[in-house]
Structure formats: structure tokens, C-alpha cells
Amino acid sequence: MIRVGIVGYGNLGRSLEALIDLEENMELVKIFTRRDPSSIDNSRMESLDNILDYKGKIDVMVLALGSATDIPEMGPKITEHFNTVDSFDTHAKIPEYFAEMDKISKENNLVSFISTGWDPGLFSLNRMIAESILPRGNTNTFWGKGVSQGHSDAVRRIAGVKNAIQYTIPKQEIIDEIYNVERSLKSYETHLREVFVVAEEGANQEDIRNEIVTMKNYFDEYETIVNFISEEEFEREHTGMPHGGHVIRVGETPNGKEIYKLSLELDSNPDFTASVNVACIRACQRFFENNNFGSHTVLDTPPVYYASNNINLLNKYL
Amino acid sequence: MIRVGIVGYGNLGRSLEALIDLEENMELVKIFTRRDPSSIDNSRMESLDNILDYKGKIDVMVLALGSATDIPEMGPKITEHFNTVDSFDTHAKIPEYFAEMDKISKENNLVSFISTGWDPGLFSLNRMIAESILPRGNTNTFWGKGVSQGHSDAVRRIAGVKNAIQYTIPKQEIIDEIYNVERSLKSYETHLREVFVVAEEGANQEDIRNEIVTMKNYFDEYETIVNFISEEEFEREHTGMPHGGHVIRVGETPNGKEIYKLSLELDSNPDFTASVNVACIRACQRFFENNNFGSHTVLDTPPVYYASNNINLLNKYL
């Protein structure tokens, strides 16, 4: 039985709670929050201030926190006392974050499994495996159709925008013709962005549209579609959290091309990310039991570590 | 530099030769054959009788041999003296084969990486990872469109058949509707078989067709299409070795269904199998260097072991 704690109670935290409760070999001990725990109708909430009271009572702590500031600030502090699993997803900062977490975990004979989820995570794993098998070729990653939280936030900050959501959409015509794509394309070549905006009354839609499509780093390089909709339509059509994507490697071998493609089609992005987190809780615990302290990622994890039990795997999967 | 030997020189052996020659960090030392080496126009051929002369001169031996009798007979003998990589693919006998190879490798402080390729191999790995992440759901494996050597052989043994090839074809309408498939289907529910036959002159085509479609274990449960074609058409259209397939898991999570799908589209089945073998040569050597002796499979191999080098993997893939 692995005793688990969750830090954070947003969409990811709630998915984790539901999934851990379904695991026969895990027990959810507490969910830690910076809010007043009594303000949340859930008997397992606990103040983050009391987290150290749970040393020795929780085996693995899952950090269901944002990557912008929360994980970089709180991860190192928590990993000093607990084994941790996180979904840190600021790709450019992962090596630096790994180094910091690795040092602290090792000093404390603990394990931190970082940057799990699907990208980084499963997609990273498949990019590496595909390139190891097919070293000559090109890899393209497609994201979506799904919501980009960062782009949605950026649009919501525009004057006159009451609410907004942004979908990243891979160009299907490129995926269909991937056999003939000879290089790793830029993200703006392979995706379009579609925005649904609820405008404030009296706001100038053309001004909003212009501000969106010219926004540096976010939209300016992309083909962008802006739709203005009513608040009712927004609530009815745009509150789900579907996502997905593809990692596709086209490899050259002596007798042709070989295509390796991993695809995800997700009804619920937080449920799937949490599902990967749960498999990584098992892996984290196994690294710990093997005294393999420090930071780990999907790249160095023996796949059996994810399995819910290790019985008869050869019979079952090979 | 990993010094490699190949045992066997059929389609797989030839693909391996071409691919190993492209690897900067591998040197192909010899290709061992049971035939008279001088009968083959290739300066690297060597008689299998002399294999023991290469102890200490070859780091990893790849067994490019058939699974029916060759690998079970020769694998244990070779793994007594060399690290080995094989593609043993008789699924039902893998646990038994693993146990035998594991014992011998361990006794000799060597490594045997068994049952690599794509199924068993990559597909096994993805079945296990997908089920670990999404423990509630169902997995279906689709093979093809591609040639089944066993089924082609079975048809060629029928009286009046001059030549024949059999393609296994997954039912696309099931793949397209996989979201709504609620169980692991039987192979005969998800595939059809298409046979192209060159009949002997004067042979009765209806008799041949009947013998094919009623053949127990091979065709009787399947929807089977039999085409009679000319020898010219056979040579023109049916000598390539394309293959591929999908592993698809549909997982249930609290807020919906999540689809995990690995797909391969291969121009050359032997080239791709050999490509996986080459990645496994690296892994085999790394297990050996870490004194992690005995048998290994894709299920227990840290993915970094496949990479051609370990530099900056976090930057590159996460």
C-alpha cells in the first residue's frame, strides 16, 4: 500500500483524488492546500502549513501545482522531506529544475519523479524511443485539438474581452501527408489557433481581433481564427477539457520509410495527466525501495516500474 | 564502439548488416552462417562452426534466425559465450525461453536481450505502458496491412498452388470507431485475410479457394478473400515487405475516455525489426556494462539505454 498526498486542489488535484481512490494499492492520506481547508467541503483537506506533520505518514507527495511559479518554488522545499511526483512542464527550464531537485532528493535519500504527464512525459518518452530506433529521419509533435491555458489567459487580458478560450489545432492535412514531410516543422507551420471570445458589451470586435492575431510569441506567426460568441454559447460549448496530439517520426531505412506514431485522444486532459501521475507514483516508490535516490524522469524509468503489479508481465504483454 | 556479430543472413540479417554499417558507434565484425561462407559474395561471412573463435572479439551477437526451431535451439548455445539480442516471437513460449536464457546468461555473467522487434517488442512495451496509465479499459492490437509468413506458407502447401502470399488486414471501420469498443476483441473479429494465389495450370480454383477458407486455425474463423492472379502480377505487385499495425487502449477515467494509440506504418518489416534490434544492441551493451546480467526485455529496460548517446537527453526530449 502506497500512502499518497496531493498538494494543490485544482483540476489536476481533483482528477488525482478520484483516480487514487480507485487504486487498490494506494491510500490517499491528505490533500494539502494554501486555502483555508475548512472552506472546502472535503474531509481530507489539510493546510499546507501542516505538511511536515505527515513525514513518515505519506510515501509519495504529488504536486498538482502550476509550473509558472508554484512548482519551482515549492517543489524543492517539499522534496527535502518527501518523495515527490510532479508535472513541471516549462520545457526550457527542465534541466535546471532537474539539477536542483536531484541534488536535494539525493541529500535526503529521497526520490523526485519530475515532469510527468504527457508533454513533457509520454511524448518525451516516445520522441526518444522513436529516434533511438530510427536515428535517420524527422520527428514532428502535434498538439490538440485542445485548450492552451496560456493562450486563453493572454486573450482574456485584452481590454474588452469578458471571457475567452483558445484551441490549438494540428493541421490534419500535414498529418495525413507525413510520409512526405522531410523535416521537423515549426509549430506555427503545423498548427492553427482558434479563439472563442465573449466580448464586453460595446467593445470593438475588430480591435480585439487585431490585438489577438498580432500578439507577439502567442499568435503573430500562426494562422489564427477568432470567433465572437455569446456567454451562453461559451458556457454550453467550451467548458470541457479535451486534448490530445501526436508524436510522429518518419525514419529512413535502406528499403523505405518507417512511420512511428503515438497518438492521444483525450476527453479530459487533467484526468489523463493525473493517470500518468498515478503510474509515476508507483515508479517513484519503486525507485525509492531500490535506494535509487535523486531525480528521475520517464527517460530513465524501467517501464515495469509503472505497472500496478509485476506478476506475469511476460505472459501478459510480450 | 560496440563490436557486433550477426547470426543468420536472411531478410533480417541483410537489414541488420545495412543498418549496423550506418551506426557510428558500432562495428560489424562478422556474419555467421550455416551455409558455406564462400558461396556468399560478402567478405564478412564466416562459418557458424567458427563462432567461438570470436569470443572476446564480439561484444553483442544478434540472432537473425527463425523462431520456430532455430532460436530455441541455437540461442541457449550462443548466449553461453556471447551477449545476445534476438527477436524470438513465439508469444506463448516467451516465458519459458526467458527462463532458460536468463539462467545461462547469468551463469556466464552475460546479457541476453530477448524478443525484441515490434510484436513482441515495441507493441508489448506500449500495451504495458498504456495499461499501467489507464488500468480501467480495454486494449486491442491490430496487425497489418502486412504479410503473414506462416499463412502464406500454409497456402503454398495446398495442392495446385504454385505461389501465394497472405495479407493480414485490420478492419479500418473498427479502428475508426474504437472509442465505442468496450472490450478486447478477438483477432478474427478485427482482421480480414486476403490471399493472392498463382495456381498451377489446370488446377481447380474453387477447390483451392475452399481448402484455404476452411483451413483450421489459419483461416476458418476469418473473413477471407482469395484472389487468383498471374505469375507476372505476383512478381510485380507482391514482393515488397510492408507491414504495420496499431496498439490501441481505450481507458475510462472519471470524466470520459482517453485513447492511447501507437501506430506503425512500415515500408519494410525486416528493416524496422532490424532497427529495433540495433537500439537493443545498445541496451544490451549497457546492461552488460552495468553488470546487470541475465535476460532482459523491453519491459524492464530504461529507455535511455536505447539512445545512441546519453548527452543532453533532458534538453532534447523533455
Side-chain angles (χ1 to χ4, degrees):
Chain A
M1 189 65 81
I2 307 177
R3 298 165 302 172
V4 182
I6 300 172
V7 183
Y9 200 51
N11 289 322
L12 180 58
R14 281 191 293 273
S15 288
L16 278 164
E17 179 184 25
L19 285 164
I20 292 167
D21 280 342
L22 290 168
E23 287 294 303
E24 280 183 20
N25 301 319
M26 291 187 194
E27 180 200 353
L28 178 58
V29 178
K30 286 289 172 193
I31 303 164
F32 297 90
T33 178
R34 283 165 291 186
R35 291 177 272 172
D36 173 6
S38 68
S39 72
I40 302 166
D41 184 20
N42 184 326
S43 62
R44 292 187 291 198
M45 301 308 297
E46 172 64 275
S47 169
L48 186 59
D49 296 337
N50 302 331
I51 193 169
L52 292 188
D53 296 348
Y54 292 86
K55 275 186 87 156
K57 295 175 189 163
I58 285 177
D59 300 306
V60 179
M61 204 66 90
V62 192
L63 312 186
L65 298 164
S67 292
T69 54
D70 288 349
I71 295 184
E73 272 176 35
M74 294 165 66
K77 289 179 193 159
I78 297 173
T79 212
E80 199 179 323
H81 303 285
F82 296 96
N83 295 317
T84 55
V85 169
D86 71 52
S87 316
F88 182 67
D89 68 357
T90 310
H91 292 262
K93 294 189 177 168
I94 287 173
E96 177 189 331
Y97 179 67
F98 180 96
E100 184 180 6
M101 293 291 277
D102 188 48
K103 180 170 179 290
I104 299 170
S105 310
K106 277 191 178 133
E107 283 169 359
N108 293 284
N109 288 349
L110 290 167
V111 173
S112 47
F113 199 132
I114 74 155
S115 299
T116 76
W118 57 276
D119 199 353
L122 263 189
F123 274 18
S124 322
L125 176 63
N126 279 278
R127 282 189 287 262
M128 200 197 69
I129 289 178
E131 292 198 25
S132 301
I133 292 171
L134 298 167
R136 289 153 291 278
N138 63 76
T139 304
N140 280 286
T141 301
F142 298 84
W143 297 272
K145 180 183 175 177
V147 175
S148 163
Q149 215 50 65
H151 288 77
S152 301
D153 288 346
V155 174
R156 283 193 290 261
R157 282 193 294 267
I158 294 174
V161 171
K162 192 168 181 187
N163 205 350
I165 193 161
Q166 193 265 195
Y167 297 96
T168 307
I169 306 171
K171 294 184 179 172
Q172 190 60 44
E173 66 273 23
I174 297 179
I175 297 172
D176 291 342
E177 290 296 317
I178 200 76
Y179 185 93
N180 299 312
V181 171
E182 301 282 354
R183 62 189 172 91
S184 297
L185 300 164
K186 299 288 181 191
S187 173
Y188 59 79
E189 296 177 283
T190 51
H191 296 82
L192 44 99
R193 301 195 175 281
E194 184 166 22
V195 188
F196 292 86
V197 178
V198 180
E200 303 277 8
E201 235 182 271
N204 184 320
Q205 295 193 354
E206 265 324 288
D207 288 352
I208 293 173
R209 184 190 308 273
N210 272 329
E211 196 161 339
I212 294 171
V213 301
T214 59
M215 198 186 293
K216 284 249 178 302
N217 300 323
Y218 282 83
F219 292 98
D220 59 337
E221 295 177 310
Y222 286 80
E223 184 181 339
T224 300
I225 301 160
V226 181
N227 308 283
F228 289 90
I229 60 173
S230 68
E231 207 153 1
E232 295 67 40
E233 184 178 339
F234 193 95
E235 289 304 319
R236 196 176 64 237
E237 304 287 344
H238 299 287
T239 54
M241 284 174 282
H243 217 308
H246 312 273
V247 169
I248 310 179
R249 180 146 184 96
V250 180
E252 308 269 349
T253 60
N255 295 296
K257 291 182 184 177
E258 324 301 335
I259 301 178
Y260 177 112
K261 179 176 174 186
L262 178 82
S263 301
L264 298 175
E265 262 176 70
L266 311 176
D267 279 349
S268 166
N269 188 2
D271 275 7
F272 189 74
T273 300
S275 297
V276 179
N277 286 166
V278 169
C280 293
I281 291 171
R282 296 185 205 112
C284 181
Q285 178 70 10
R286 289 187 177 123
F287 275 123
F288 179 71
E289 286 167 1
N290 289 321
N291 300 322
N292 197 335
F293 305 127
S295 284
H296 297 282
T297 71
V298 290
L299 302 185
D300 73 320
T301 302
V304 289
Y305 279 23
Y306 302 120
S308 53
N309 73 59
N310 283 345
I311 298 161
N312 285 332
L313 293 181
L314 291 180
N315 295 52
K316 194 166 174 192
Y317 296 114
L318 273 165
Chain B
M1 189 66 80
I2 306 177
R3 297 165 303 172
V4 182
I6 300 172
V7 183
Y9 199 51
N11 289 324
L12 180 59
R14 280 191 293 273
S15 288
L16 277 163
E17 179 185 24
L19 285 164
I20 292 166
D21 280 343
L22 291 168
E23 287 293 303
E24 279 182 22
N25 302 319
M26 291 186 192
E27 181 200 351
L28 178 58
V29 178
K30 285 290 173 193
I31 303 164
F32 297 90
T33 177
R34 284 165 290 188
R35 291 178 273 173
D36 172 6
S38 68
S39 71
I40 303 165
D41 183 20
N42 184 327
S43 62
R44 292 186 292 197
M45 299 310 297
E46 173 63 276
S47 169
L48 186 58
D49 296 337
N50 301 331
I51 193 168
L52 292 188
D53 297 347
Y54 292 86
K55 273 186 88 156
K57 295 174 189 163
I58 284 176
D59 300 306
V60 179
M61 203 67 90
V62 191
L63 312 186
L65 299 164
S67 292
T69 54
D70 288 349
I71 293 184
E73 272 177 35
M74 295 165 64
K77 289 178 193 160
I78 297 173
T79 213
E80 199 180 323
H81 304 284
F82 295 96
N83 295 318
T84 55
V85 169
D86 72 52
S87 316
F88 182 67
D89 69 358
T90 311
H91 292 262
K93 294 188 176 168
I94 288 173
E96 178 189 330
Y97 179 67
F98 180 96
E100 184 180 6
M101 294 291 277
D102 187 49
K103 181 168 177 290
I104 298 169
S105 311
K106 277 192 178 132
E107 283 168 0
N108 294 283
N109 288 350
L110 290 168
V111 173
S112 47
F113 198 130
I114 73 155
S115 297
T116 76
W118 56 276
D119 198 354
L122 263 189
F123 274 18
S124 323
L125 176 63
N126 279 277
R127 282 189 287 263
M128 200 197 69
I129 289 179
E131 292 197 26
S132 301
I133 291 171
L134 298 167
R136 289 155 291 278
N138 63 77
T139 305
N140 280 286
T141 301
F142 299 84
W143 298 272
K145 180 183 174 175
V147 175
S148 163
Q149 214 51 64
H151 288 77
S152 301
D153 287 346
V155 174
R156 282 193 289 259
R157 283 193 294 266
I158 295 174
V161 171
K162 192 169 181 188
N163 206 350
I165 193 160
Q166 192 264 196
Y167 297 95
T168 308
I169 305 171
K171 294 185 178 170
Q172 190 60 44
E173 66 272 24
I174 297 179
I175 297 172
D176 292 341
E177 290 295 317
I178 201 76
Y179 185 93
N180 299 312
V181 171
E182 302 282 354
R183 62 188 174 92
S184 297
L185 299 164
K186 299 287 180 193
S187 172
Y188 58 80
E189 297 177 283
T190 51
H191 296 81
L192 45 99
R193 300 195 175 281
E194 185 165 22
V195 188
F196 292 86
V197 178
V198 181
E200 305 276 8
E201 234 182 273
N204 184 320
Q205 295 193 354
E206 265 325 289
D207 288 353
I208 294 173
R209 184 191 308 275
N210 272 330
E211 197 161 338
I212 294 171
V213 301
T214 59
M215 197 186 294
K216 285 248 179 304
N217 301 322
Y218 283 83
F219 292 98
D220 60 336
E221 296 179 309
Y222 286 80
E223 183 181 338
T224 301
I225 302 161
V226 182
N227 309 282
F228 290 90
I229 59 173
S230 68
E231 207 154 1
E232 295 67 41
E233 184 178 342
F234 193 96
E235 289 304 318
R236 197 177 61 237
E237 305 286 344
H238 299 287
T239 53
M241 285 174 281
H243 218 307
H246 313 272
V247 169
I248 310 179
R249 180 145 184 96
V250 179
E252 308 270 349
T253 59
N255 295 296
K257 290 182 184 176
E258 324 300 336
I259 302 178
Y260 176 111
K261 180 176 175 186
L262 178 82
S263 301
L264 298 175
E265 261 177 71
L266 311 176
D267 280 349
S268 166
N269 188 1
D271 274 7
F272 189 74
T273 301
S275 297
V276 179
N277 286 166
V278 169
C280 293
I281 292 171
R282 296 185 204 113
C284 181
Q285 179 69 10
R286 288 187 176 125
F287 275 123
F288 180 71
E289 286 167 0
N290 289 322
N291 300 323
N292 197 335
F293 305 127
S295 284
H296 296 281
T297 71
V298 290
L299 301 186
D300 73 320
T301 302
V304 289
Y305 279 23
Y306 301 119
S308 53
N309 73 59
N310 283 345
I311 298 161
N312 285 332
L313 293 181
L314 292 180
N315 295 53
K316 195 168 174 190
Y317 297 113
L318 275 165

